[in-house]
Amino acid sequence: MAEHLGLHTVGDLLHHYPRRYAERGELTRLSDLPPDEHVTVVAQVADARVHTFNQGRGKRLEVTVTDGSGRLQLVFFGRSVHHHHRELLPGRRGMFAGKVGVFNRRLQLSHPAYELLGAGSDPDAVDAFAGRLIPLYPACRQLESWKLAKAVTTVLDSLGATGWAGVADPLPPALREQYGLPALPEALEKVHRPRHRADLEQARTRLKWDEAFVLQVALARRRLAEGQLPAVPRKPREGGLLDAFDARLPFTLTEGQLAVSREIFDDLAAEHPMHRLLQGEVGSGKTLVALRAMLAVVDAGGQAALLAPTEVLAQQHHRSVTEMMGELAEGGMLGGSDQGTKVVLLTGSMGTAARRRALLDLTTGEAGIVIGTHALIEDKVRFHDLGLVVVDEQHRFGVEQRDALRSKGRQPPHLLVMTATPIPRTVAMTVFGDLETSVLDQLPAGRSPIASHVVPAAEKPHFLARAWERVREEAAAGHQAYVVCPRIGDEEESAGSRKGGDGGNGGGDGADGGADGERRPPLAVLDVAGQLSDGPLAGLRVAALHGRMQPDAKDEVMRRFAAGEVDVLVATTVIEVGVNVPNATVMVIMDADRFGVSQLHQLRGRVGRGTAPGLCLLVSEAPEGSPARARLAAVATTLDGFELSRIDLEQRREGDVLGQAQSGTRSSLRMLAVIDDEEVIEAARARATEVVAADPELEGLPELRAALDALLDAEREEYLDKG
């Protein structure tokens, strides 16, 4: 149990819930069995025959079982053939477990383990089968579902005999009463041995509450602790830099931008640090809102730092901020405004002299705004008075790095996290539960709609040919195009076929590519750029961009593309965030099925940024009807990032909201589904906040405190603290 399923204690076993339940009369669908997976099925023997081979020296038993939806073959060899033949008589029902294989185009289980149900089998199993739901557990080859069920039964019986002594209930009695939730022993009994579906519903609701409530208490304690930290209030002053900036804007701010700015200014004026997550669709004007917050802090005598995940993005932010501010970004310089401040760039690849100048401007306070990459975090970077840290694209940034930047203020600086990946509310409540959330959901006037289409390259090669014609048409009209590939092309083949480009998740379901699971390596930038220049896009100016180029070479390519000197940019996902070229109107994403839903949505947001409409073509060889094609169809049919992020999460599941990737531990969410259980999460958050406000150390709730300690092992506690 410990080695293969990570179950070390009786508690672990009791929280290893059944994956699903079989009922008498309810038949598992054999027609949906996934090849190469370990499964447990409940089915009836249709026929059993012994065959001989090797001139009669070898014997093989073939048993066909059925469930009404499909048939499955069980195969046994060797001396045990006759024993199984006597047991597996037509009409007998049982549970069969094994790895699904394919032989002669038919699904089969070779030497499956089985447990017969009904006449002649263990009386308890007969009783359970006759009246109860049969729990089917997440199992493995070394430990079948029914062996786990027997182990759970042993534990439940012995705990029942002691009156569940020593089992602490983390939910406060008043909360259980308020929501009509059963006690923990009753819930565990009902989830493992339900008599009917109502038992199951009751148990599941209670166990979801456990997970949601303990997690929300952890987050509420974080919020309380953060709220007690001191911070310098930064109130915008009238007639300052912010007012001068607003006066020179050539457009009016949207309602949403004004509302979110008000929330941020209220936070900045408080005596404890702001911790706010700013979500906004690509192009909704997040950078403008963040810049106004930075200017308000400079007005109040502080400095602001904008932290970007890549040099390309840091340089781009620096360019767009200085353009938006004009002479206000040249404080202290000839031709600069009296009200202005200096805006400096700090990246790892800068020359020594420029770097030294930037560091000096930060130390003296001459520079009110600094934009940079990880280089901002190095020990030698000193600020005069750091008041606000803005982090762009949270998911690309390590928690330790954010922490290191925070520690550079005399008191903790205010923190604003921006993301263009739409996060459903409940996920924001759980994953970013210590951050207040602001959402920008309306696009500024003048942004054009983006049409998206799937191009099925394998079934309809002429569609792909037409895609390249469209690119030529756009170029002829004076516009530009992106072509995105999952891989660079100069890496090792073995690594390359696994990776998804520069920070691309290389997502996709490996099994979608073909029946045998074998897929060609993902298309690569360097190959595709050459093929297009020599083939369908001959005569157009084609350039390549990827993450392993030298920073100045990357910047040069981006500068040429932005200046209109390149017609088609073939790139990896390095262009996913922040690249802003209003003249680019079409994007072709090659092997689109290898990217995640949210990532495709991010990429697509790079076109249609000007007045001309955008076009996004999702090229894929995934077969029709496959999960990969379903994902692409979803992206093509909606531009609503929040809807897409729900689809993405439903397909990927949530993982561990406390950072499974960071700690390598099993998910703390076994019963709770972040997308579906919105009501439970909202109620749990409200109750947790009340409980923690009344008793921050949980002294009056020792059981809850113990559950919290179990959830927050040292690694997760550290992850949350830095998060």
Side-chain angles (χ1 to χ4, degrees), residues 417-481:
V417 174
M418 297 196 294
T419 177
T421 307
I423 304 162
R425 272 182 64 251
T426 46
V427 181
M429 272 186 206
T430 21
V431 183
F432 299 104
D434 60 326
L435 298 175
E436 298 300 324
T437 306
S438 295
V439 178
L440 278 175
D441 49 10
Q442 57 185 138
L443 291 185
R447 284 301 300 267
S448 304
I450 304 169
S452 305
H453 303 284
V454 178
V455 178
E459 299 143 49
K460 299 179 178 168
H462 60 285
F463 275 36
L464 183 58
R466 175 72 188 114
W468 301 128
E469 279 173 28
R470 282 291 290 117
V471 171
R472 295 192 78 96
E473 286 163 15
E474 289 296 313
H479 297 306
Q480 292 160 279

Side-chain angles (χ1 to χ4, degrees), residues 683-700:
R685 182 180 166 104
R687 293 293 82 75
T689 307
E690 288 169 13
V691 165
V692 170
D695 181 4
E697 292 305 310
L698 308 177
E699 284 166 2

Side-chain angles (χ1 to χ4, degrees), residues 57 61 126 248 252 331 626 705:
R57 288 196 296 276
L61 171 64
V126 177
R248 55 167 287 136
T252 51
S626 63
R705 176 79 233 195

Side-chain angles (χ1 to χ4, degrees), residues 490-647:
D490 57 0
E491 62 268 61
E492 293 286 310
E493 196 60 36
S494 59
S497 55
R498 284 196 305 271
K499 280 198 306 222
D502 304 343
N505 64 359
D509 310 29
D512 289 345
D516 55 1
E518 283 299 312
R519 308 183 75 186
R520 59 163 171 72
L523 292 171
V525 166
L526 299 176
D527 302 339
V528 169
Q531 289 160 8
L532 292 176
S533 299
D534 298 341
L537 302 185
L540 295 184
R541 298 166 297 176
V542 177
L545 178 74
H546 57 76
R548 272 209 293 280
M549 290 164 68
Q550 288 303 313
D552 44 356
K554 256 192 296 198
D555 203 40
E556 174 61 14
V557 171
M558 269 317 304
R559 190 200 59 71
R560 285 174 46 224
F561 188 62
E565 295 163 20
V566 169
D567 299 314
V568 180
L569 184 64
V570 184
T572 54
T573 54
V574 72
I575 60 145
E576 179 185 348
V577 286
V579 175
N580 185 16
V581 179
N583 191 44
T585 54
V586 61
M587 175 178 285
V588 182
I589 303 179
M590 309 302 292
D591 280 346
D593 50 288
R594 303 203 187 221
F595 298 97
V597 168
S598 295
Q599 198 173 24
L600 291 169
H601 182 59
Q602 287 280 95
L603 286 165
R604 166 170 69 184
R606 299 293 121 217
V607 295
R609 299 176 78 86
T611 48
L615 173 66
C616 178
L617 300 173
L618 305 165
V619 179
S620 170
E621 291 182 4
E624 199 170 359
S626 63
R629 276 287 282 279
R631 269 205 316 274
L632 296 182
V635 175
T637 49
T638 179
L639 288 172
D640 181 341
F642 287 92
E643 179 55 33
L644 287 173
S645 66
R646 285 184 82 97
I647 293 167

